[in-house]
Amino acid sequence: MGGCVSTSSRSTCSSRSNGETVSPSCFCGQKRTRRTFSDHVVGLQHLPSIPSRIFMNGKSRTSCIFTQQGRKGINQDAMIVWEDFISEDVIFCGVFDGHGPHGHLVARKVRDALPVKLLSFLHSCQSRQNGSNTTCFKGNLKRSDAGDSEKDCSPEDKLISTWRETFLKSYKAMDKELRSHPNLDCFCSGSTAVTLVKQGSNLFMGYIGDSRAIMGSKDSNDSLVAVQLTVDLKPDLPREAERIKRCKGRVFALQDEPEVPRVWLPFDDAPGLAMARAFGDFCLKEYGVISIPEFSHRILTERDQFIVLASDGVWDVLSNEEVVEIVSMAPTRSSAARILVDSAAREWKLKYPTSKMDDCAVVCLFLDGKMDAESDYDEQNFSSATLQSNHSGNAIESDDGQKSEPSLQRNFTVRSSEENDTYGRLPIEVEGNEEAVAAEDQNWSGLEGVTRVNSIVQLPRFSDERPNPETL
């Protein structure tokens, strides 16, 4: 959609003769040392010209990204890193894994539109707080000198609340846009999303589906360990299953893949969605599948080294610890994402030699803000931010559905149970009007679990005698 949003201050802005719009202040009222694109009116038509936004194989100042098409058809994964997202110290990252006949288009639409919606709702929140003596948009959390504001709510709480509201509203608006999109059929197609905003030492995350984020961090012995940042939101998580069943949806696994729970319509053995939350998939939205994201906040420390976001094509065959080790051992930081995808491809051949490899997409964000010398980057033969590697599988992207649709037939392979290592459990935080998390959720073994390969089994076949959710 072509709607534009502004992230500049409501105060009067001066314009230069060359057309640049210069905002006199940033979100917290301080001068910026560098003008960012967020000072301008941002619309989807402007995205290709943003120099600090990369979405094809390459690197940025702080990250590298890489995607490779699997052997099941068109690459349905998408990824993005957007530096200078609000100001110099704010970075947006995301990985999106599409599924269904139009999943590749859904993933790209979310990749492009969701960050713009975050900017829009963030600006709306900031506008409401203009007169409240708050420092909620500073890069680092710092106590305000204004004692009156602390009586009501600390700056830390205000910042977290602001981002929570921003993520929730953005995800809701994104799903609403997909439902009404005139050229994109999302009835049986959808996408996961794992997104983060790094703002100074603060990490804010919103996610749905089963794409995952982990962090490589040093423990007390200076050994690098894996810290899982997200929960794979699968249908067999107790809270997810309860919601789906309460909405008359069904959750069960097929006989030939007993460890892959799926969501089914109440009146048809379709579509068999292997996740509990997703963008799109409107045939199941009346039956318990939702697009409300899980939200989390974390304060980063100097022990935290890097963050990896990846689609399930990576997690199907590699554990959290293996991913951390591969990234840390990469000869250059700019090659880390590509080497991780190459490692996943080799594991697919070893573990599932008769199966078709899934698409893989990886974002590696290095938290110290440093990358390799440009010469190291060139040696890896990567593309720049505006070029795309031959591995991506999509030479030209279009959101208008002009490409041929991929086949829905997919191999049914699952991850072997012996690889399901035990990790520290993450408490699941309830958003919206959902019930409190039951105690069993917090100890649920679904952090890694068995990762699906097929997102859906088959399209539903509606008849005149059966209710059609499309008309609800």
Side-chain angles (χ1 to χ4, degrees), residues 168-188:
L168 290 174
K169 288 186 175 181
S170 298
Y171 272 63
K172 181 179 180 180
M174 184 73 252
D175 209 44
K176 182 178 180 180
E177 178 179 333
L178 290 174
R179 182 184 287 272
S180 60
H181 198 289
N183 302 318
L184 185 55
D185 182 2
C186 300
F187 189 61
C188 295

Side-chain angles (χ1 to χ4, degrees), residues 2-27:
C4 297
V5 300
S6 172
T7 58
S8 60
S9 173
R10 285 190 173 181
S11 57
T12 304
C13 297
S14 60
S15 297
R16 294 179 179 175
S17 57
N18 62 3
E20 288 186 352
T21 302
V22 182
S23 174
S25 62
C26 70
F27 280 102

Side-chain angles (χ1 to χ4, degrees), residues 248-450:
K248 309 304 180 184
R250 297 181 295 158
V251 177
F252 64 87
L254 297 174
Q255 288 184 353
D256 57 351
E257 44 173 22
E259 297 181 89
V260 184
R262 298 178 180 275
V263 184
W264 309 85
L265 291 166
F267 48 81
D268 191 5
D269 288 343
L273 183 65
M275 62 195 73
R277 306 190 194 190
F279 286 120
D281 294 307
F282 294 112
C283 67
L284 289 171
K285 285 293 167 69
E286 300 293 331
Y287 302 106
V289 173
I290 61 176
S291 60
I292 299 173
E294 290 291 298
F295 173 85
S296 63
H297 167 251
R298 186 185 188 96
I299 299 291
L300 299 171
T301 70
E302 59 183 12
R303 290 189 172 274
D304 301 328
Q305 304 299 303
F306 56 82
I307 294 173
V308 178
L309 284 68
S311 60
D312 69 328
V314 173
W315 309 115
D316 279 349
V317 292
L318 295 173
S319 68
N320 293 349
E321 283 79 6
E322 289 170 331
V323 168
V324 166
E325 181 179 4
I326 292 168
V327 172
S328 64
M329 297 294 289
T332 60
R333 286 187 170 187
S334 57
S335 67
R338 177 181 62 83
I339 289 176
L340 180 55
V341 172
D342 290 344
S343 299
R346 287 193 297 271
E347 288 300 309
W348 270 96
K349 293 178 182 178
L350 291 172
K351 295 180 178 180
Y352 308 119
T354 62
S355 300
K356 296 180 181 179
M357 173 184 167
D358 199 4
D359 306 325
C360 296
V362 170
V363 171
C364 296
L365 175 65
F366 295 94
L367 299 175
D368 60 5
K370 299 177 182 178
M371 286 294 285
D372 310 310
E374 199 64 30
S375 59
D376 294 333
Y377 180 69
D378 293 337
E379 289 174 6
Q380 297 301 321
N381 238 352
F382 279 148
S383 62
S384 67
T386 57
L387 297 179
Q388 187 171 20
S389 166
N390 293 331
H391 292 284
S392 66
N394 300 314
I396 301 175
E397 293 189 338
S398 169
D399 284 329
D400 298 326
Q402 299 301 316
K403 291 188 175 182
S404 59
E405 296 178 8
S407 170
L408 221 68
Q409 300 301 321
R410 306 208 172 191
N411 273 27
F412 299 100
T413 58
V414 299
R415 184 176 175 181
S416 57
S417 58
E418 67 238 23
E419 295 175 33
N420 298 330
D421 303 324
T422 303
Y423 297 96
R425 305 306 182 203
L426 297 177
I428 302 177
E429 189 170 356
V430 178
E431 298 298 342
N433 296 322
E434 296 188 54
E435 299 174 358
V437 182
E440 61 265 26
D441 273 307
Q442 301 185 12
N443 295 319
W444 184 248
S445 60
L447 286 182
E448 286 218 328
V450 177

